[in-house]
Amino acid sequence: MTIPALFRPLTVGRLTLTNRIVIAPMCQYSAQDGCMNDWHLIHLGQLALSGAALLTIEATAVVPEGRITYADVGLWDDATEAAMGRVLDGIRRWSDMPIAIQLSHAGRKSSTEVPWKGGAQLPPGAAHGWQTEAPSALPFATDGAPPTALGQDGLRRVRDSFAASARRAARLGIDVIQLHAAHGYLLHQFLSPLSNRREDEYGGSLKNRMRFPLEVFDAVRAAFPADRGVTMRVSGTDWVEGGWDIAGTIAFAQALEARGCAAIHVSSGGLDPRQDIPVGPSYQVPLARAVKQACSMPVVAVGLISDYEQAEAIVGTGDADMIALARTILYDPRWPWHAAAHLGAQVKAPPQYLRSQPRRFRDLFGSP
């Protein structure tokens, strides 16, 4: 029987994935001083039993001031590393799903309240607030506190912090690192001419705007074991005239591939409040398709992918090599099981759950 495209194995770097379903990083805003806790064990643990091929830990700050909110996860010192290690130990006791981590610095979009309390940016003098930093002293919102423009020492500090977090991730046995250069955070801020107005070698031309994100990639690639992949998440476009666009994304992807990037995850937007996004099912897939046509490394598509046939078509037609699920798998943590049942494929389930297999899908879980 022909295996559906969504459930065919794929090799990313030296890691073989059992299918093409990736769990995207999803911020939980539930850490304390950067440290994971039992919420993360419950949240990530249930997703590690979902039948997807790869679990990605949420945006993880490489320095305290790089957090989006004061409740973000971090990996910058021994305490944050130990807290994450405890969560990973709990997950790995019951699941062999490979685990990735998204390393991030929020730049000018940091120092905000948690979303369910409004998500407003907190000024430096407020409780839970701090001075933000960015490529240029331009706030995200016109009424926001301006960030401090990073000087040479600041660039070196941030770059070194990414590398240090990568070494901590390696000690924790993380299988893959994803660098966050999307959604208006620091590395994306360097890429976009809307947020990068520098006049030194890190601003101006496309080559200069790509320089710092590529330096961060090189530093992380050098710090992480050679047999484990380093990937990148990008915004394919700012959805604002004169901003970062798909042509720049393709050039960036090609430069990353030349440096040994193992895969690229194509999202969009998040950099400028003026963005005008044509939201709808698969609305970001054309961006992934454009990158895939220009590169040979695996490409991940994301964005309002919720239907099984929709996901199968994205992979089956070659628009992308993998699909990533975020809100969809929060709503339905067994989505990969249900997709396998619908498409006539098999998926891995823990032995404790084998008896849940419906009679009409007798081969869904394969042989115990």
Side-chain angles (χ1 to χ4, degrees):
M1 185 175 69
T2 302
I3 300 174
L6 194 61
F7 288 90
R8 294 173 191 161
L10 177 71
T11 299
V12 178
R14 300 183 187 179
L15 179 67
T16 298
L17 303 179
T18 57
N19 58 55
R20 309 300 182 92
I21 303 168
V22 174
I23 299 173
M26 292 173 279
C27 290
Q28 297 298 293
Y29 310 106
S30 299
Q32 185 170 11
D33 298 324
C35 291
M36 283 185 162
N37 52 49
D38 285 348
W39 172 257
H40 301 92
L41 178 60
I42 295 169
H43 164 67
L44 294 171
Q46 66 165 335
L47 296 178
L49 304 177
S50 67
L54 181 69
L55 172 64
T56 312
I57 295 171
E58 65 192 83
T60 301
V62 298
V63 289
E65 63 272 20
R67 292 173 293 173
I68 304 166
T69 79
Y70 54 86
D72 282 16
V73 169
L75 188 57
W76 61 69
D77 62 8
D78 291 346
T80 53
E81 181 179 342
M84 186 173 291
R86 174 182 171 273
V87 169
L88 292 174
D89 287 346
I91 294 169
R92 289 174 176 142
R93 183 178 179 189
W94 302 107
S95 172
D96 62 359
M97 184 183 293
I99 299 176
I101 188 170
Q102 184 187 70
L103 296 182
S104 179
H105 189 303
R108 69 181 189 176
K109 290 184 73 176
S110 66
S111 185
T112 65
E113 183 56 91
V114 296
W116 50 85
K117 293 184 179 179
Q121 189 161 50
L122 302 173
H128 301 308
W130 60 85
Q131 177 61 50
T132 62
E133 53 191 15
S136 303
L138 301 170
F140 172 69
T142 55
D143 60 348
T148 298
L150 286 163
Q152 292 293 331
D153 289 344
L155 295 175
R156 188 179 307 108
R157 170 176 49 81
V158 171
R159 185 171 57 240
D160 291 348
S161 296
F162 270 97
S165 293
R167 287 189 286 271
R168 293 183 183 277
R171 287 199 295 267
L172 290 169
I174 297 291
D175 297 286
V176 177
I177 284 176
Q178 181 187 96
L179 298 176
H180 201 353
H183 303 162
Y185 300 125
L186 184 67
L187 300 185
H188 184 183
Q189 291 163 27
F190 272 91
L191 294 171
S192 177
L194 298 177
S195 49
N196 184 347
R197 303 290 178 81
R198 299 175 72 97
E199 297 180 354
D200 61 3
E201 67 270 30
Y202 293 100
S205 68
L206 175 61
K207 179 180 179 180
N208 283 359
R209 285 182 280 114
M210 294 195 306
R211 189 183 306 277
F212 186 66
L214 291 175
E215 287 181 356
V216 169
F217 177 86
D218 289 343
V220 169
R221 180 61 282 176
F224 201 55
D227 62 345
R228 302 186 222 173
V230 177
T231 72
M232 185 74 71
R233 191 175 198 182
V234 297
S235 279
T237 175
D238 288 339
W239 300 111
V240 178
E241 186 176 354
W244 182 248
D245 58 17
I246 191 59
T249 301
I250 289 171
F252 186 48
Q254 290 172 332
L256 287 166
E257 185 171 41
R259 285 166 162 78
C261 187
I264 189 165
H265 182 153
V266 184
S267 187
S268 71
L271 183 115
D272 193 298
R274 296 171 296 171
Q275 64 187 15
D276 185 12
I277 304 178
V279 176
S282 297
Y283 72 102
Q284 294 174 151
V285 172
L287 301 170
R289 181 192 309 128
V291 173
K292 182 164 172 55
Q293 290 172 347
C295 299
S296 59
M297 65 179 163
V299 174
V300 184
V302 68
L304 290 186
I305 300 171
S306 58
D307 181 79
Y308 314 132
E309 296 287 352
Q310 173 196 18
E312 173 69 6
I314 291 168
V315 177
T317 60
D319 283 344
D321 299 285
M322 294 169 275
I323 58 105
L325 303 178
R327 286 170 289 182
T328 293
I329 206 163
L330 285 184
Y331 185 74
D332 180 5
R334 299 289 180 265
W335 191 96
W337 291 17
H338 303 151
H342 178 83
L343 296 169
Q346 291 185 339
V347 70
K348 184 174 182 178
Q352 295 92 334
Y353 290 172
L354 291 179
R355 63 181 176 176
S356 72
Q357 180 173 245
R359 289 175 181 262
R360 66 186 183 280
F361 303 126
R362 190 173 299 278
D363 296 324
L364 176 62
F365 295 152
S367 301

